């Protein structure tokens, strides 16, 4: 059974930083692209960032580029999202999601497993 | 990069078919056959129901089908069932990124 367990969310003030982590199990982590998708309270979904498997290519939404970084530790089956200079509009539940197609550098093939998410609240 | 455009709400009666549109541009939906659809029930995480425009993951009902024409993708649900009542989101690849639609609330009357 695939499991994605996020942690690291919390309440911060604008301009502060947080590091989210996602520990994965139940699949060969190193062969799948991993991403973060966020959902603001009562609103829609927004793709945040992706990191591919083999080459660890990193991609970011325009809204977070330059403030967020993504990394993975295949030895620990973990993906991290380092968030800095947080803004009130970053308030959301952040879901760790697994790419559907393994052995691929695609980030576009859909996400077939979702974690329950960790909540980030940015409030002055 | 603007969000893809979906109708805010659609509805249908049990047994009927409905179609949800997802409109983008020639730079996203028009350029790539990388459209996915997700179903989200209240309080639940989204579930992938269509990928690469028209492919269904294992276990997803054949009542769900996807298509694309030009800059618009579509999700059709046939033989509507009460359990289909949910929010539906489309996504498309765009150069080095992913765009979401704003979501469509499906009500089964």
């Amino acid at each position: 059974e695939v499991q994605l367990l996020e942690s690291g969310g919390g309440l911060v003030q604008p301009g502060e930083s947080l590091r989210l982590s996602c520990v994965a199990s139940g699949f060969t982590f190193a062969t799948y692209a991993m991403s973060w998708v966020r959902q603001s309270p009562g609103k829609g979904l927004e793709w945040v960032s992706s990191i591919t498997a083999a080459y660890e290519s990193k991609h970011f939404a325009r809204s977070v580029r330059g403030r967020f970084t993504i990394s993975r530790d295949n030895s620990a089956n973990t993906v991290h999202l380092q968030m800095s200079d947080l803004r009130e509009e970053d308030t959301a539940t952040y879901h760790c999601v697994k790419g559907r197609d393994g052995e691929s550098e695609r980030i576009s093939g859909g996400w077939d497993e979702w974690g329950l998410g960790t909540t980030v609240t940015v409030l002055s | 990069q603007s969000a893809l455009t979906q109708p805010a709400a659609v509805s249908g009666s049990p047994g009927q078919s409905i179609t949800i549109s997802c409109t983008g541009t020639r730079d996203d939906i028009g350029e790539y056959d990388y459209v996915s659809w997700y179903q989200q029930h209240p309080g639940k995480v989204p579930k992938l129901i269509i990928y690469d425009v028209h492919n269904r993951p294992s276990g997803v009902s054949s009542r769900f089908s996807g298509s694309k024409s030009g800059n618009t993708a579509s999700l059709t649900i046939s033989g509507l069932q009460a359990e289909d009542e949910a929010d539906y989101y489309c996504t498309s690849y765009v150069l080095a990124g992913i765009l979401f639609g704003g979501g469509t609330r499906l009500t089964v009357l």
Side-chain angles (χ1 to χ4, degrees), chain A residues 37 39 43-47 50 59-62 65 95 100-101 106-112 114-117, chain B residues 1 33-36 38 40 44-48 51-52 57 89 91 93-102:
Chain A
V37 173
Q39 186 162 28
K43 295 187 178 178
L45 297 159
E46 181 186 14
W47 169 75
S50 297
H59 307 275
F60 300 93
R62 188 173 294 172
R65 199 170 296 154
H95 297 277
R100 181 195 54 81
D101 48 349
R106 284 179 59 185
I107 64 168
S108 57
W111 305 298
D112 60 353
W114 293 62
L116 294 179
Chain B
Q1 295 175 348
D33 288 336
Y34 297 148
V35 176
S36 297
Y38 297 85
Q40 186 178 31
K44 302 294 186 182
V45 298
K47 173 187 176 183
L48 178 67
Y51 66 93
D52 293 351
Y89 294 90
T91 68
Y93 179 75
V94 64
L95 190 61
I98 304 292
L99 294 177
F100 267 97

Side-chain angles (χ1 to χ4, degrees), chain A residues 47-118:
Chain A
W47 169 75
V48 175
S49 180
S50 297
I51 184 167
T52 63
Y55 295 100
E56 298 191 14
S57 299
K58 302 171 185 181
H59 307 275
F60 300 93
R62 188 173 294 172
S63 58
V64 306
R65 199 170 296 154
R67 300 187 297 122
F68 290 13
T69 61
I70 190 170
S71 61
R72 64 190 299 158
D73 179 352
N74 290 336
S75 67
N77 287 0
T78 300
V79 59
H80 301 285
L81 185 69
Q82 178 68 48
M83 307 185 296
S84 61
D85 189 22
L86 282 162
R87 305 167 181 170
E88 292 193 356
E89 54 264 36
D90 295 319
T91 294
T93 295
Y94 285 72
H95 297 277
C96 172
V97 295
K98 168 187 165 290
R100 181 195 54 81
D101 48 349
E103 306 289 349
S104 166
E105 286 297 288
R106 284 179 59 185
I107 64 168
S108 57
W111 305 298
D112 60 353
E113 300 288 347
W114 293 62
L116 294 179
T118 185

Side-chain angles (χ1 to χ4, degrees), chain B residues 4-89:
Chain B
L4 308 173
T5 300
Q6 297 181 233
V10 299
S11 62
S13 300
Q16 288 185 333
S17 295
I18 63 95
T19 297
I20 300 172
S21 62
C22 172
T23 302
T25 71
R26 63 182 180 182
D27 294 326
D28 38 71
I29 293 178
E31 178 71 15
Y32 305 99
D33 288 336
Y34 297 148
V35 176
S36 297
W37 290 89
Y38 297 85
Q39 176 192 60
Q40 186 178 31
H41 287 108
K44 302 294 186 182
V45 298
K47 173 187 176 183
L48 178 67
I49 55 174
I50 295 288
Y51 66 93
D52 293 351
V53 176
H54 58 79
N55 294 307
R56 282 188 308 276
S58 175
V60 172
S61 172
S62 58
R63 297 186 300 104
F64 295 92
S65 62
S67 61
K68 188 187 94 166
S69 178
N71 299 338
T72 299
S74 299
L75 171 71
T76 298
I77 308 174
S78 59
L80 266 182
Q81 300 179 359
E83 67 207 48
D84 299 332
E85 187 161 291
D87 294 328
Y88 291 83
Y89 294 90

Side-chain angles (χ1 to χ4, degrees), chain A residues 9-39:
Chain A
L11 171 64
V12 297
Q13 293 186 332
E16 293 186 338
S17 299
L18 275 177
R19 188 192 197 207
L20 306 184
S21 297
C22 169
V23 178
S25 61
F27 63 101
T28 308
F29 179 79
T31 62
Y32 288 87
M34 298 296 295
S35 302
W36 291 91
V37 173
R38 67 187 181 185
Q39 186 162 28

